[in-house]
Amino acid sequence: MVQSIENKVALLTGGGGGIGRAVAEKLAQKKVDLVLAGGNNIEKLQITAKIVEKYSRCLVLPGDLTDREFRKNAVKKAVSAFGKVDILINNAGVAQNCSFEDISEKEFDRIMDINSKAPFFLTQELLPFLRKSDQATVINIASVVAHAGYPMQSVYTASKHALLGWTKAFAREYYRENIRIHAICPGGVFTDMVKLSRPDLTPEGMIMPEDIADVVLFFLENRGNAVIDEISIHRLNKEPFA
Ligand SMILES: NC(=O)c1ccc[n+]([C@@H]2O[C@H](COP(=O)([O-])OP(=O)(O)OC[C@H]3O[C@@H](n4cnc5c(N)ncnc54)[C@H](OP(=O)(O)O)[C@@H]3O)[C@@H](O)[C@H]2O)c1
């Protein structure tokens, strides 16, 4: 049965990016209030906020998600602005286009921190508030590289495997408390990121950010009794996992 998400509050990371903006718009259209948490590009966040504000309320909190204090304050500010948070979408991420032998320890830590550690601890920070919601849902935007491995993406691949790993553990640890968690594992989505990580891909046949937003909405509106750990999304016209 489809469950309304009207008047719920969602905290979304990476709201200034391609997938984040599409998700923000889709949820706002359903009258979900949005907290756009994290990001350095304030202009991009403001563009998303303007779109959201056509339909619902929006709080913009620029900053670095790898900073523990920022994460703590973002949760505090979200709750003080809207009184609650029902939905967390861990979408912010960084790609890599660099050989295994050229990756420095610093770069390894940066990619792992943004793609796996920050969403882990942001989820932990939000847990007390998710417990209070009757539709608590966490959605992690992983990638096909949570399963596969591509050249020039060794750390990105490791970070998304890690993200998917803790998502599965969390699903089993918290399902009795009615807190859902899902990982979405897309192939190439037509955003700025893919131009960096897969310059060989062309826009034709690429997944669109709106396709991912549709899947996010499906998870949020269709809770039922099924627990879905993850869903993989591949492009139509290329080999699987492209
Ligand atoms: N595009 C694809 O082909 C594809 C495929 C599979 C999975 N994904 C995943 O989808 C998610 C969204 O990617 P996208 O394609 O929409 O890329 P994007 O347009 O580059 O967006 C990435 C977002 O993450 C934010 N971000 C990066 N580092 C951050 C940090 N330390 N603190 C706070 N925010 C940070 C960026 O903010 P600023 O730019 O303002 O710093 C940006 O808004 C990522 O997790 C990515 O791994 C993408």
Side-chain angles (χ1 to χ4, degrees):
M1 193 182 72
V2 174
Q3 237 178 318
S4 167
I5 53 170
E6 194 172 322
N7 298 326
K8 297 296 179 199
V9 177
L11 192 150
L12 164 71
T13 69
I19 294 174
R21 184 169 298 154
V23 169
E25 180 166 17
K26 183 73 65 182
L27 298 191
Q29 285 169 343
K30 294 283 177 176
K31 300 275 182 291
V32 172
D33 292 320
L34 264 297
V35 179
L36 307 181
N40 301 307
N41 191 326
I42 297 174
E43 216 171 292
K44 280 186 170 179
L45 287 167
Q46 295 293 0
I47 293 171
T48 305
K50 269 212 156 121
I51 296 168
V52 169
E53 281 162 356
K54 285 196 261 176
Y55 311 99
S56 66
R57 297 179 293 171
C58 188
L59 176 68
V60 176
L61 302 172
D64 185 351
L65 286 159
T66 64
D67 177 347
R68 186 197 310 175
E69 283 311 304
F70 171 74
R71 291 193 302 264
K72 277 184 185 295
N73 283 327
V75 171
K76 263 193 203 148
K77 286 177 184 170
V79 174
S80 101
F82 296 131
K84 60 175 186 170
V85 176
D86 306 280
I87 297 160
L88 168 62
I89 300 167
N90 286 310
N91 163 70
V94 281
Q96 171 202 349
N97 186 18
C98 174
S99 71
F100 179 91
E101 66 200 63
D102 288 331
I103 280 279
S104 65
E105 220 171 307
K106 197 171 164 202
E107 187 63 353
F108 181 100
D109 288 343
R110 188 182 78 90
I111 296 171
M112 292 297 280
D113 277 1
I114 296 171
N115 292 355
S116 181
K117 185 177 165 188
F120 184 107
F121 285 105
L122 183 60
T123 306
Q124 191 186 74
E125 196 69 41
L126 258 182
L127 203 50
F129 303 99
L130 294 174
R131 282 197 166 108
K132 293 180 186 161
S133 173
D134 58 350
Q135 274 169 266
T137 309
V138 180
I139 295 183
N140 289 335
I141 308 298
S143 165
V144 288
V145 304
H147 296 282
Y150 291 132
M152 312 293 275
Q153 297 189 32
S154 49
V155 187
Y156 183 66
T157 298
S159 72
K160 294 295 186 177
H161 271 67
L163 178 65
L164 183 58
W166 72 252
T167 302
K168 288 177 175 174
F170 184 106
R172 279 151 188 79
E173 202 165 329
Y174 290 100
Y175 80 95
R176 285 189 203 285
E177 295 192 48
N178 198 28
I179 302 173
R180 298 287 169 84
I181 190 165
H182 313 286
I184 298 176
C185 300
V189 184
F190 190 53
T191 69
D192 289 346
M193 176 180 283
V194 87
K195 291 174 200 157
L196 172 71
S197 59
R198 293 290 303 270
D200 57 306
L201 296 182
T202 55
E204 298 81 48
M206 197 89 95
I207 300 163
M208 289 293 132
E210 293 72 23
D211 298 329
I212 306 303
D214 283 339
V215 176
V216 168
L217 184 63
F218 177 85
F219 277 141
L220 295 176
E221 288 189 331
N222 296 272
R223 288 171 66 83
N225 290 323
V227 175
I228 306 166
D229 287 332
E230 54 166 302
I231 183 160
S232 299
I233 303 167
H234 307 290
R235 293 191 297 145
L236 267 179
N237 64 344
K238 297 275 162 141
E239 75 277 13
F241 299 109

